[in-house]
């Protein structure tokens, strides 16, 4: 993303990137170290902060308790449909045509499909 902005004459230090998807203290610190001074950063730390019940109860007939995913996504901005891309294409949100368009624009390197637990 940073390279894409620079190629188009934009200053990444005036932009905001939100890192999310299963964040924990270690991954937040890694992201902050890697991108410090390159771009403004924010972190989506929801499920593993507020709903992580792993290890709180002994395993029962259905296994251990798992974190409950309570993530809200933007679906529209200023009357225009929004698209959410992810390194896991199964998590992308928006119309299939819009998702495909943004993947062509920004690239799809490093993307790999993984099952999504809800």
């Amino acid at each position: 993303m940073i390279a894409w902005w620079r190629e188009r004459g934009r200053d990444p230090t005036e932009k905001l990137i939100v890192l999310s998807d299963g964040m924990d203290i270690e991954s937040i610190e890694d992201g902050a170290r890697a991108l410090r001074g390159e771009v403004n950063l924010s972190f989506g730390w929801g499920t593993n902060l507020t709903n992580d019940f792993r290890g709180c109860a002994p395993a029962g007939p259905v296994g251990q308790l798992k974190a409950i995913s309570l993530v809200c996504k933007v679906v529209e901005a200023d009357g225009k449909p929004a698209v959410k891309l992810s390194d896991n294409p199964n998590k992308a949100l928006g119309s299939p045509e819009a998702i495909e368009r943004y993947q062509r624009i920004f690239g799809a390197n490093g993307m790999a499909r993984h099952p999504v637990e809800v």
Side-chain angles (χ1 to χ4, degrees):
M1 193 72 225
I2 291 169
W4 188 84
W5 282 322
R6 285 186 177 138
E7 289 169 5
R8 285 152 181 79
R10 302 294 196 277
D11 180 0
T13 64
E14 295 178 358
K15 303 294 184 179
L16 172 69
I17 289 179
V18 180
L19 301 179
S20 63
D21 192 14
M23 302 297 290
D24 56 23
I25 293 289
E26 185 175 312
S27 61
I28 289 170
E29 288 177 342
D30 289 346
R33 275 190 294 274
L35 297 171
R36 184 175 288 124
E38 297 287 321
V39 66
N40 294 303
L41 285 174
S42 182
F43 299 91
W45 185 23
T47 300
N48 289 330
L49 170 65
T50 58
N51 297 294
D52 185 0
F53 299 106
R54 292 175 292 187
C56 292
V62 293
Q64 287 284 345
L65 295 173
K66 294 182 179 180
I68 302 166
S69 182
L70 300 172
V71 180
C72 299
K73 305 289 189 216
V74 173
V75 295
E76 183 181 291
D78 199 22
K80 298 176 183 162
V83 171
K84 183 250 182 196
L85 299 179
S86 173
D87 57 347
N88 179 356
N90 288 337
K91 290 184 169 185
L93 296 176
S95 73
E97 299 81 17
I99 292 169
E100 184 178 311
R101 176 177 176 257
Y102 280 99
Q103 287 176 337
R104 277 195 317 269
I105 292 170
F106 296 114
N109 291 341
M111 293 185 177
R113 292 195 181 277
H114 301 282
V116 176
E117 290 186 35
V118 180

